[in-house]
Amino acid sequence: MESYTNISNSLIEDENLSHTEFRVMMTLIRYYNTDLGYSFPTRELLVKKCRMNKDTLGRVLNSLEEKGYITRSKREGKAGRNNIYYINKYLVGQETSSQASTKPKPNNKSRNKKKQATEPQEDLDYKLGYIESSLEFARDFRDTELAELKEVDMKIIERVCEEMRGETDISPFVFLLDLQKCKRGIN
């Protein structure tokens, strides 16, 4: 069975990427898991699919992270530790995202721009501003997570923020799970 990968045409036209960076970006996008919100191919798979040695791959991954195209993180699993790759640019539907062009900060704290909570309550910017002024996140909300957030009532968001207040490095995924639990408890 044939499979396809949707990519943004902007990736092909990006003159800031070397040919090796382009190849790695394409491979990371190919192995992107929409349910999890990240890509997690092994380094061995990246070396094989990108047709480069492990030293070159390391330099390319460092460069992509410095340029803000990806953010790397560690994941503990049954097979031990491995890298996961958050793709900050060029996922289809992500081109206009406020986080898609923001360079990651070294401390890996939230990179979404802080927004003042002065807009209408049902507006996504207001919700995001409220959440980020209340809690400290380990990473940005992905586009799929923002879409979920858009559908949640502000009262539920306020309740979950109050329950999680004081926690640090919260995963947006965990936050959304708590929103869903709270939502089911209310409805």
Side-chain angles (χ1 to χ4, degrees):
M1 182 167 120
E2 230 177 309
S3 66
Y4 300 91
T5 302
N6 288 323
I7 62 161
S8 168
N9 288 331
S10 300
L11 175 62
I12 297 166
E13 297 168 3
D14 190 332
E15 295 178 7
N16 293 317
L17 290 173
S18 70
H19 68 282
T20 53
E21 291 170 335
F22 175 81
R23 186 177 289 162
V24 171
M25 281 297 294
M26 287 292 297
T27 306
L28 290 174
I29 291 170
R30 178 178 181 207
Y31 289 99
Y32 180 78
N33 183 310
T34 55
D35 293 331
L36 298 174
Y38 53 80
S39 182
F40 55 99
T42 64
R43 286 183 77 90
E44 293 78 21
L45 181 65
L46 285 172
V47 163
K48 180 181 176 185
K49 294 295 182 182
C50 296
R51 298 183 192 119
M52 60 183 65
N53 66 47
K54 64 181 181 173
D55 294 332
T56 301
L57 176 65
R59 284 191 299 276
V60 169
L61 289 170
N62 288 339
S63 176
L64 287 171
E65 191 164 30
E66 287 171 13
K67 291 180 179 181
Y69 288 82
I70 64 170
T71 304
R72 290 182 283 187
S73 186
K74 295 285 183 197
R75 177 178 78 143
E76 297 288 335
K78 292 177 184 173
R81 291 175 54 152
N82 69 311
N83 280 332
I84 58 176
Y85 305 90
Y86 295 105
I87 300 170
N88 301 324
K89 290 187 176 186
Y90 300 127
L91 289 176
V92 172
Q94 188 183 44
E95 303 84 48
T96 58
S97 168
S98 62
Q99 68 210 30
S101 61
T102 307
K103 185 174 180 179
K105 292 182 182 175
N107 66 5
N108 200 29
K109 299 295 179 213
S110 177
R111 295 171 308 278
N112 288 331
K113 292 180 179 157
K114 299 287 182 193
K115 298 189 172 63
Q116 294 297 318
T118 58
E119 299 171 11
Q121 285 201 357
E122 294 307 310
D123 184 66
L124 180 60
D125 289 339
Y126 174 83
K127 290 176 180 178
L128 195 56
Y130 180 86
I131 292 165
E132 288 190 335
S133 65
S134 302
L135 302 171
E136 192 174 310
F137 288 91
R139 66 167 174 80
D140 288 341
F141 282 83
R142 305 252 169 255
D143 283 345
T144 52
E145 294 165 336
L146 290 172
E148 277 188 60
L149 188 59
K150 196 183 287 187
E151 305 302 318
V152 179
D153 184 68
M154 191 62 202
K155 290 184 188 304
I156 295 172
I157 291 172
E158 290 170 353
R159 181 180 294 173
V160 172
C161 284
E162 187 59 37
E163 290 172 3
M164 296 181 97
R165 198 170 309 278
E167 294 181 35
T168 58
D169 291 333
I170 299 166
S171 162
F173 178 76
V174 171
F175 179 77
L176 288 169
L177 284 177
D178 284 3
L179 282 178
Q180 294 303 320
K181 290 177 190 173
C182 187
K183 189 176 178 181
R184 275 182 259 147
I186 290 174
N187 291 338

